[in-house]
Amino acid sequence: DNSGANEYGTIQAAVDAATDGDVIVVESHSSGSYGNVDINKNNNLADGNSITIRAADGASPTIDGTSDNAVDIQNNIGVTIEGLTLSADDGIDAIVADGLTVDGQTVSVVDSTINPDGSGNAFGISANDGGTVDAQNVSFVSEDGDSGTSTEQAGIFAYGADAVTVSESTFEDLDFGVQAPQVGTVDIQDSTFADLSDEGVIVNNDGQSDYAPTVTISGNEFTTIGTSSSSTMVLFLNDDGGSFSTSGTY
């Protein structure tokens, strides 16, 4: 915590004891990985609070999401994750954030690796209904390769988020890189999209007739995108069959 005086055997125990602004420093796990972590206001955290989970210097901690979402964030808690590896498997997401409706609340992932794997839907970061998703120097790479089925693997899936910002990150061996339906601001810069079976980036209105996002997509590298002629690097999709207005550069 802020005093630096407390030690815990698991990340979950540290989260349960955390208060607003605390930094949880994580060592490598002796058995290889930590179990899933739930972050919500039922602990000592309230709406609008935030915490940081950070790898210790020289450590390489992993949170395993094979039985549940690796990190599950609820109830307007802002979270920063730095220097960790998070795994996702069949029907499981590495990071899930629902209902970040407090202005300015952010799920930020920095200098980390996220592996969305398995034959079911698996997303690196899944966020719904508000808030900001921020990825800086994050490697979103499937160790299995893309799912090859009707299910989806994506680095980021953010439905109705206020903003998605990505910089210096990698999306590789997935179905999609970033899906951003009804996201107000999409800012993706200096990142690499490679060996994706479908689109690199999708921005769509999902039936919202007055959708007018601000989109900045610049300085990125797209390599081997799509296995069909209809797949594109960046797709602006209007589910009503019309068009919507965008501002920014792309």
Side-chain angles (χ1 to χ4, degrees):
D1 67 5
N2 285 326
S3 69
N6 296 322
E7 296 185 1
Y8 302 90
T10 65
I11 299 174
Q12 184 66 62
V15 168
D16 289 345
T19 58
D20 186 28
D22 277 352
V23 177
I24 298 168
V25 179
V26 185
E27 298 286 352
S28 299
H29 197 288
S30 58
S31 65
S33 64
Y34 291 90
N36 62 292
V37 178
D38 292 324
I39 302 171
N40 60 69
K41 66 181 181 181
N42 293 325
N43 304 315
N44 293 323
L45 298 167
D47 275 340
N49 288 173
S50 62
I51 62 172
T52 295
I53 301 174
R54 176 186 299 158
D57 290 345
S60 301
T62 296
I63 301 177
D64 187 353
T66 55
S67 61
D68 201 349
N69 302 318
V71 178
D72 200 336
I73 305 165
Q74 303 283 342
N75 304 122
N76 296 314
I77 306 299
V79 177
T80 297
I81 295 172
E82 299 182 13
L84 278 74
T85 295
L86 301 100
S87 66
D89 211 336
D90 295 353
I92 301 296
D93 302 325
I95 301 173
V96 174
D98 289 326
L100 295 177
T101 55
V102 171
D103 290 344
Q105 284 300 81
T106 298
V107 175
S108 181
V109 185
V110 182
D111 301 333
S112 297
T113 298
I114 296 178
N115 303 126
D117 286 320
S119 58
N121 289 340
F123 303 134
I125 303 175
S126 175
N128 299 284
D129 301 328
T132 295
V133 174
D134 176 48
Q136 303 174 42
N137 190 29
V138 178
S139 177
F140 298 88
V141 179
S142 171
E143 296 179 329
D144 295 345
D146 64 79
S147 63
T149 68
S150 59
T151 58
E152 298 177 355
Q153 294 173 358
I156 296 173
F157 179 85
Y159 189 99
D162 296 328
V164 172
T165 61
V166 178
S167 63
E168 298 181 338
S169 294
T170 299
F171 300 82
E172 186 174 350
D173 287 329
L174 304 165
D175 294 307
F176 301 92
V178 176
Q179 293 189 61
Q182 294 188 11
V183 173
T185 299
V186 179
D187 189 337
I188 301 173
Q189 301 191 47
D190 303 323
S191 295
T192 300
F193 296 78
D195 299 318
L196 306 180
S197 63
D198 291 289
E199 279 70 30
V201 179
I202 297 178
V203 180
N204 69 297
N205 70 333
D206 198 38
Q208 182 179 333
S209 59
D210 60 349
Y211 182 51
T214 298
V215 180
T216 302
I217 300 176
S218 66
N220 303 289
E221 180 180 356
F222 294 87
T223 305
T224 314
I225 304 299
T227 56
S228 69
S229 59
S230 62
S231 296
T232 60
M233 293 184 295
V234 180
L235 175 65
F236 295 100
L237 177 64
N238 189 305
D239 292 341
D240 295 330
S243 62
F244 59 83
S245 61
T246 62
S247 61
T249 59
Y250 39 86

